[in-house]
Amino acid sequence: MTGEPVILSVSNRKGGSGKSTTVVNLGAEWAARGRRVLVIDLDTQGHAGLGLGVRAARGEPTAHDVLRDDAFDLAGAIRPTAWEGLACVPADPLFEGGDPGDPTRLARALGRLESRASYDVIVLDTPPSLDSALINALAAAHGVLVPLLPHALSADGALQIVRLIFRVAAQTNPSLRLAALLPITVDLRITHHRAILEDVRRQFGAGRVLRGIRKDIALAEAFAVGTPARWHAPRSRGVMDYFLLADELPHVWRPVAASVSQGAS
């Protein structure tokens, strides 16, 4: 592989919207297709690392050290996972976000990372709070995937993150784009779900709203054992939906196509 990796931030201003589940399972799907994936966990809950079986011990370097130290070498915080092609930089649960401060520290750290060309895609798991971790993620990313639950509060969180995307693009990162919106735990038999999704399509455009991920307990069970669902419950609905997402996303957001398509080399 040659060239620079695509950087995808998975973000929503509403907590519990499926960000970490999407980071872990989409990253695992791409890795299973032969892509080299680096997950950077910027949410102090550490759920992306948990879902990949990776946690930093006390005193070990983490993703949040980038936000503390301008000269921090991100390479020292990268941990392999049990799955080929899938690496993770775990979160620091003790990090306090505070003021956004310098929004470009993560972008600069990624720019200094000598191994960055070894990855096809870097996926950022972000906190819902408006803190330095979220702002730095948006300042470093090429695009944002917004998971949202099919109810009004989550849709409002999606609207907030989209407004923030436009603000960061205008002020700091002109390359930043909204990649797509991803409905989570969707059941189209429920009238309220259909109504919320129709409203989201009207607001953002039907072409930006993906088919979504159905509710599946196997996704939660996989997190509990620190294993992506693809390897924990390969025949589950959730795994099928993330398989389809990996096919669908390159069609709505072109920058990721060459990096993560199954036939890419």
Side-chain angles (χ1 to χ4, degrees), residues 160-185:
Q160 290 182 43
I161 194 68
V162 170
R163 288 172 177 160
L164 184 59
I165 290 167
F166 289 137
R167 194 181 91 195
V168 172
Q171 296 177 352
T172 309
N173 179 10
S175 299
L176 184 64
R177 297 290 183 271
L178 170 64
L181 294 101
L182 177 67
I184 299 288
T185 67

Side-chain angles (χ1 to χ4, degrees), residues 70-82:
D70 256 341
F72 179 71
D73 183 2
L74 195 59
I78 296 174
R79 313 294 166 76
T81 71

